[in-house]
Amino acid sequence: MKTAIITGITGQDGAYLSKLLLEQNYKVIGIARNLLAGNLNGLSFLNVVNDIELVEANLLDLSNIIRFLEKYKPDEIYNLAAQSSVGLSFDQPIGTLEFNIISIANILEAVRMVNKDIKVYQSSSSEMYGNVDKNKLPIDENFIIHPASPYGISKASAHWISVNYREAYNLFIACGILFNHESVLRRQNFVTKKIITSAFRIKNGEQKELRVGNISIQRDWGYVPEYVKVMWKMLNTKKPDDYVICSGEAHSLQEFIEKVFTTLNLDSKKLVRPDKSLYRPVELEKIYGNPNKAKKELDWNYTMSFDELIAQLIEDEIKYTEWAKSNQKN
Ligand code: NAP
C-alpha cells in the first residue's frame, strides 16, 4: 500500500484527489492548517472523511514538515495548499507570496533532508503566464512566464523553485500547470460558484439579481475530478516533468452565465448587473492552453465539452444542496 500526503486537503482538489487515491488503495494523510468541522464538508460530501488520516500542520514551519515526513514516510506528496484566489491576492499580496512560496520551499527542503525518493507534485497555474498576446495562443509549456497578479507571481516562484530542486538535486518533482478547473466544492469567493449558487437563489426567490465584474474575460475551464487524475499520472510515470493541463478551449464569463441561467430558465439579460467595483486591478483578457503534451505523454484523455461541464456543475450543485440539507437535519 502506497502512502500519499495531500496538503490543502480541505480544498476542492484535495477532496477529489483523496477520493481518487483511496479508490486506488492508497493510505491518504491529509494536511490542513485548521481542522474545523466546516472545512471538512467537501470530504464529507464525497464520503471520504473517515478514510483519511487528517493532521493539522503549519507548512511555514520546516521542522513541522520534517517531523510529519519522518512519521508518515510517504511515497508521494501532492502540494495543493495555497492561497488560491487571484482576486484576494491583490488585497493580501504579502500573505499570498509568503505562504505560496515558502510552503513548497519547506516541503522540498524537508524531502531533500529526509528521503530523496519521495515524489512531489506541485500545483502550478496558468496565472503564471499573465496577459499573453492573443495571436500567440494557445499556451504551452514553453511560454514565457510573465504573471499579472501577486497570486501569479507566487505560483511562478513556487514553480521555479520546484524545477530548480528537480534539476539541482535530481528529485522526482512534477508540476501541473493547471488552467481553471471547477467543481461544486469551489469556494463562494470564486465567480463560477457565485454564478451557480446565485442562479439557484434567484430561482428560489431568495436573491434579486447577480452582480459580476468583467464578463468579457475568456478562460479555459475544466472539471476537477478529471484534472486530479492527471496529478496522479504525473507522479506515476517514468520521468518528472511540467505539464499544461486544460481543455484547450476558451469561453467567456458571459457565456458561462448565459448557459447557467438558460439551463435554470432564467433571463440573464434582466437578472445580471455589471459592477465596476468587482473589476480587478489587472484582468487577463483571454487565455487557453494546449494540453497535447499531457495527452501524449501521460495518456490523459479529457473530453468534456463546455456545455457538458456546465450541465455537470448544475447537477452536482443540486446533489450538494440536498446533501447539505439532509446533513443539517441529522
Ligand atoms: P482551494 O479550494 O482554494 O483550496 C486551497 C487549500 O489550501 C485549502 O485546503 C486551504 O485551507 C489551503 N490554504 C489556503 N491558504 C492557506 C494558508 N495561508 N495556509 C495554509 N493552508 C492554506 O484550491 P483548489 O482549487 O483546490 O486548488 C488546489 C491548488 O491548485 C492550489 O494550489 C491552487 O492555487 C492551484 N490551482 C488551482 C486552480 C483552479 O482553477 N482551481 C488552477 C491552477 C492552480 P483552508 O480550508 O483552511 O482555507
Side-chain angles (χ1 to χ4, degrees):
M1 189 189 242
K2 279 193 192 173
T3 299
I5 287 181
I6 302 177
T7 75
I9 192 80
T10 53
Q12 60 162 3
D13 288 10
Y16 281 99
L17 180 64
S18 314
K19 187 172 159 61
L20 178 85
L21 295 183
L22 287 168
E23 283 163 2
Q24 302 201 40
N25 208 25
Y26 273 70
K27 179 177 178 189
V28 177
I29 315 294
I31 305 268
R33 61 174 153 175
N34 196 327
L35 284 174
L36 293 175
N39 270 350
L40 305 179
N41 277 351
L43 296 166
S44 301
F45 172 64
L46 297 182
N47 208 14
V48 293
V49 72
N50 295 324
D51 300 325
I52 299 168
E53 188 166 339
L54 291 163
V55 191
E56 276 189 11
N58 180 358
L59 299 176
L60 296 181
D61 185 333
L62 176 62
S63 63
N64 199 184
I65 304 175
I66 290 173
R67 270 195 294 280
F68 68 64
L69 293 195
E70 282 171 344
K71 177 170 178 193
Y72 293 106
K73 302 189 178 5
D75 301 282
E76 297 169 7
I77 300 176
Y78 294 85
N79 184 36
L80 310 182
Q83 191 303 91
S84 67
S85 160
V86 175
L88 190 62
S89 79
F90 285 103
D91 292 329
Q92 299 179 5
I94 312 297
T96 303
L97 292 168
E98 182 187 33
F99 182 76
N100 293 2
I101 298 172
I102 302 301
S103 54
I104 181 65
N106 277 340
I107 289 170
L108 297 179
E109 265 302 287
V111 165
R112 192 159 81 90
M113 290 176 192
V114 177
N115 176 6
K116 283 180 160 189
D117 290 333
I118 300 171
K119 297 179 175 182
V120 181
Y121 169 82
Q122 168 60 14
S123 297
S124 297
S125 164
S126 55
E127 294 286 334
M128 303 188 309
Y129 299 105
N131 248 325
V132 300
D133 179 347
K134 284 185 198 137
N135 299 316
K136 293 189 178 153
L137 289 167
I139 292 169
D140 65 22
E141 293 78 4
N142 301 315
F143 245 65
I144 290 173
I145 291 182
H146 184 159
S149 65
Y151 171 76
I153 295 166
S154 74
K155 283 288 168 181
S157 303
H159 179 79
W160 284 122
I161 290 167
S162 305
V163 172
N164 177 250
Y165 270 67
R166 180 170 71 216
E167 291 172 351
Y169 306 114
N170 204 21
L171 301 181
F172 196 114
I173 303 164
C175 300
I177 307 169
L178 271 61
F179 283 58
N180 294 52
H181 45 287
E182 307 301 318
S183 79
V184 69
L185 303 182
R186 249 307 191 201
R187 290 175 184 196
Q188 199 62 36
N189 58 338
F190 283 82
V191 69
T192 47
K193 179 74 178 176
K194 178 177 154 182
I195 291 165
I196 293 174
T197 51
S198 296
F200 274 103
R201 287 176 60 79
I202 292 170
K203 182 94 186 151
N204 297 334
E206 295 158 1
Q207 187 176 324
K208 286 210 171 91
E209 61 181 22
L210 164 67
R211 287 185 176 269
V212 280
N214 186 351
I215 57 172
S216 68
I217 56 148
Q218 295 186 45
R219 290 288 182 276
D220 181 329
W221 275 294
Y223 187 49
V224 173
E226 294 302 314
Y227 280 29
V228 295
K229 289 180 186 167
V230 76
M231 297 177 184
W232 175 82
K233 279 175 180 275
M234 279 183 226
L235 292 196
N236 288 275
T237 189
K238 281 198 182 115
K239 201 171 79 44
D241 207 342
D242 307 322
Y243 293 94
V244 160
I245 305 299
C246 59
S247 74
E249 288 176 16
H251 294 274
S252 70
L253 198 56
Q254 181 163 6
E255 271 179 274
F256 194 106
I257 292 169
E258 278 167 9
K259 284 193 192 292
V260 170
F261 274 61
T262 308
T263 309
L264 298 186
N265 286 322
L266 297 168
D267 185 348
S268 61
K269 290 197 177 59
K270 289 190 184 144
L271 297 165
V272 179
R273 297 261 170 281
D275 183 344
K276 287 263 179 204
S277 73
L278 297 173
Y279 277 49
R280 288 173 183 161
V282 189
E283 292 277 11
L284 307 192
E285 284 307 323
K286 177 177 183 177
I287 55 168
Y288 65 100
N290 173 358
N292 282 349
K293 182 177 170 188
K295 289 194 169 180
K296 203 168 136 221
E297 293 183 13
L298 301 172
D299 195 23
W300 179 60
N301 194 17
Y302 184 79
T303 54
M304 205 171 205
S305 68
F306 185 63
D307 284 4
E308 286 168 339
L309 171 67
I310 304 275
Q312 185 69 56
L313 292 174
I314 290 176
E315 191 186 316
D316 293 350
E317 188 67 33
I318 294 169
K319 282 191 197 144
Y320 185 83
T321 307
E322 281 166 7
W323 171 85
K325 267 190 210 149
S326 72
N327 244 36
Q328 269 166 8
K329 273 188 217 145
N330 296 334

